[in-house]
Amino acid sequence: MKKANFVLIFLLVIALILVLPPVLAPVIHDNNTAKAAIRTYIYQEGYTYQSFFAIPKDEQFDDPEYGHLYYVIWHDRNNPVGDTPPLFYVKKYKEGYKVTSVGTGP
């Protein structure tokens, strides 16, 4: 009986892990930081799970028009070139950070 309870609890935890990211993404990915703005953009493009697994890396480059540059590693399943990581420019506004431009990097 204990083994059956353990298996049931284990399956319930797995189900929660699979169901909760799409539900919690709008709450977790606010625009208070540049990385959260990038994750919000990815979520709004329809990549619910990738918004959690994307890895933004700061490139230490500021453009006066577009903002700060981030190199983001994530899998875009609709990208014809495959796993080419995009470049995200994020700019700070009064209400928070916003992605201003997205492009494909080398």
Side-chain angles (χ1 to χ4, degrees):
M1 190 68 177
K2 286 185 180 184
K3 186 175 181 180
N5 286 340
F6 175 75
V7 171
L8 183 62
I9 291 172
F10 179 75
L11 291 175
L12 183 63
V13 168
I14 296 296
L16 285 174
I17 289 172
L18 292 175
V19 171
L20 285 181
V23 175
L24 294 178
V27 176
I28 294 173
H29 303 324
D30 54 6
N31 291 336
N32 290 336
T33 66
K35 292 180 181 181
I38 291 170
R39 293 177 190 281
T40 299
Y41 178 86
I42 292 171
Y43 172 77
Q44 290 173 345
E45 289 296 310
Y47 301 99
T48 308
Y49 295 99
Q50 286 295 333
S51 67
F52 285 96
F53 299 113
I55 303 169
K57 295 187 178 190
D58 189 353
E59 286 297 313
Q60 300 296 326
F61 177 75
D62 285 318
D63 184 274
E65 183 179 347
Y66 293 110
H68 196 75
L69 176 65
Y70 288 88
Y71 184 76
V72 182
I73 299 171
W74 67 295
H75 179 71
D76 183 354
R77 66 181 178 267
N78 293 328
N79 189 349
V81 259
D83 291 332
T84 305
L87 303 174
F88 283 76
Y89 281 97
V90 180
K91 197 169 189 178
K92 183 173 178 154
Y93 294 96
K94 290 180 183 177
E95 57 275 349
Y97 289 87
K98 182 179 176 186
V99 174
T100 56
S101 179
V102 178
T104 321

